[in-house]
């Protein structure tokens, strides 16, 4: 009986090794490794029973293989998501590059590209947020609290950076909206400085200085209105 048992055990071990040999070369394929461990578990169940230490040891190996499979699947999905996200962001960057070229060619105004930059920033943040939320949905906070916290912090950082960039765009927009007024005030200031210098040098009387300063203001305002009108006309033409 002992000899038969030894022979049966030897045959069983040979069958196990033969089964493992079928999966040689699949060391990096977690699905195949899980498939193998599942088959071996069934063999151990039939040979030893579910209460045996051999079956329990094989069950542990199968659970480890299942965990490795889930982890590999997650990494593969993350890679696919990262590639898709990168392509969508590249498309937005290409749109922005085209817009910059149109500004250089005079086919788009600075105000228009600033508004486009605002829209693109919103779109890019939305794409990144979508990817992070999808990653967060895959994580069990009870089993992996560290990774869950990490993704939450990445989302918070994304929102903070988004707000920072939106504030910078708003500052650019404010400067653009007020550039004609700013330019007019600089022109008036420069004209006044020249007039005061001539008065101090005795090259101009006070009456002449007042007249000169008045003319400086008139010319500056006319120039500002002319530039604003030209901008309005160009904007309407580009919108056609």
């Amino acid at each position: 009986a002992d000899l038969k048992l030894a022979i049966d055990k030897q045959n069983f071990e040979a069958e196990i090794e033969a089964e493992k040999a079928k999966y040689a070369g699949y060391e990096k394929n977690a699905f195949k490794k899980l498939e193998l461990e599942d088959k071996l578990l069934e063999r151990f169940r039939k040979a030893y029973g579910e209460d045996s230490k051999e079956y329990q040891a094989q069950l542990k190996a199968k659970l480890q293989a299942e965990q490795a499979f889930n982890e590999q699947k997650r990494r593969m999905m993350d890679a696919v998501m990262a590639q898709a996200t990168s392509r969508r962001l590249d498309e937005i960057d290409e749109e922005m590059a085209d817009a910059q070229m149109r500004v250089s060619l005079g086919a788009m105004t600075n105000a228009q590209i600033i508004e486009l930059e605002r829209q693109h920033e919103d779109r890019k943040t939305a794409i990144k947020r979508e990817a992070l939320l999808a990653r967060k949905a895959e994580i069990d906070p009870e089993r992996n609290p560290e990774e869950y916290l990490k993704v939450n912090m990445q989302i918070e950082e994304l929102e903070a950076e988004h707000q920072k960039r939106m504030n910078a765009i708003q500052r650019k927009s404010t400067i653009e909206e007020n550039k004609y007024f700013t330019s007019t005030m600089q022109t008036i200031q420069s004209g006044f400085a020249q007039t005061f210098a001539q008065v101090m040098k005795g090259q101009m009387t006070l009456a002449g200085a007042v007249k000169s300063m008045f003319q400086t203001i008139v010319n500056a305002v006319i120039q500002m209105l002319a530039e604003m009108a030209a901008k309005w006309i160009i904007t309407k033409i580009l919108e056609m």
Side-chain angles (χ1 to χ4, degrees), residues 12-240:
F12 177 77
E13 291 176 350
E15 290 175 0
I16 294 298
E17 291 303 318
E19 192 67 48
K20 290 181 179 180
K22 295 178 184 178
Y23 288 85
Y26 290 104
E27 290 79 8
K28 295 184 179 181
N29 188 326
F31 173 75
K32 286 292 186 180
K33 292 178 70 175
L34 176 58
E35 186 178 71
L36 170 62
E37 297 298 344
D38 199 39
K39 288 182 177 181
L40 295 182
L41 182 64
E42 180 61 18
R43 286 180 174 270
F44 275 91
R45 186 188 68 80
K46 291 180 179 180
Y48 295 101
E50 294 184 4
D51 294 331
S52 65
K53 63 179 182 181
E54 289 84 358
Y55 176 85
Q56 292 300 320
Q58 182 56 37
L59 177 60
K60 182 178 180 181
K62 190 251 184 176
L63 292 176
Q64 290 174 342
E66 187 173 12
Q67 183 178 0
F69 166 70
N70 289 331
E71 180 63 23
Q72 186 177 75
K73 183 173 69 172
R74 183 193 65 78
R75 290 197 303 269
M76 292 171 66
M77 292 299 296
D78 285 350
V80 171
M81 177 66 76
Q83 184 183 57
T85 299
S86 178
R87 286 178 177 175
R88 292 170 69 187
L89 293 175
D90 286 345
E91 289 175 1
I92 294 176
D93 288 339
E94 280 296 312
E95 290 177 11
M96 199 65 198
D98 288 341
Q100 292 284 3
M101 181 182 68
R102 294 184 66 194
V103 171
S104 300
L105 295 174
M108 180 179 284
T109 66
N110 287 331
Q112 287 175 322
I113 197 170
I114 289 173
E115 178 56 32
L116 187 62
E117 186 177 353
R118 193 196 315 273
Q119 296 172 10
H120 282 187
E121 173 58 30
D122 279 336
R123 288 170 58 193
K124 291 176 72 172
T125 300
I127 291 170
K128 294 176 182 178
R129 185 189 300 113
E130 180 184 337
L132 285 172
L133 289 176
R135 174 74 185 100
K136 179 180 176 180
E138 296 175 353
I139 303 172
D140 185 342
E142 296 293 331
R143 295 184 178 182
N144 197 347
E146 184 177 351
E147 186 66 17
Y148 192 80
L149 175 62
K150 178 181 176 182
V151 174
N152 272 332
M153 292 177 65
Q154 289 174 338
I155 293 173
E156 291 178 4
E157 181 66 20
L158 172 66
E159 299 299 343
E161 287 297 320
H162 173 61
Q163 190 58 52
K164 186 186 300 183
R165 286 190 289 269
M166 291 298 284
N167 289 340
I169 293 171
Q170 182 57 47
R171 286 192 289 270
K172 288 170 61 176
S173 178
T174 301
I175 292 172
E176 179 64 23
E177 290 172 358
N178 291 278
K179 71 176 183 179
Y180 294 112
F181 177 77
T182 302
S183 176
T184 298
M185 294 306 297
Q186 289 175 343
T187 300
I188 293 173
Q189 182 180 350
S190 176
F192 280 12
Q194 292 178 6
T195 298
F196 290 148
Q198 289 180 315
V199 171
M200 294 174 67
K201 292 178 181 179
Q203 297 174 350
M204 183 180 293
T205 64
L206 289 176
V210 172
K211 182 179 179 181
S212 176
M213 287 188 291
F214 177 77
Q215 191 61 48
T216 296
I217 294 173
V218 171
N219 291 340
V221 171
I222 290 174
Q223 181 64 30
M224 179 184 71
L225 294 175
E227 291 179 359
M228 292 175 66
K231 176 189 175 183
W232 183 85
I233 293 171
I234 292 175
T235 301
K236 291 302 179 183
I237 292 174
L238 294 177
E239 289 176 352
M240 295 175 60

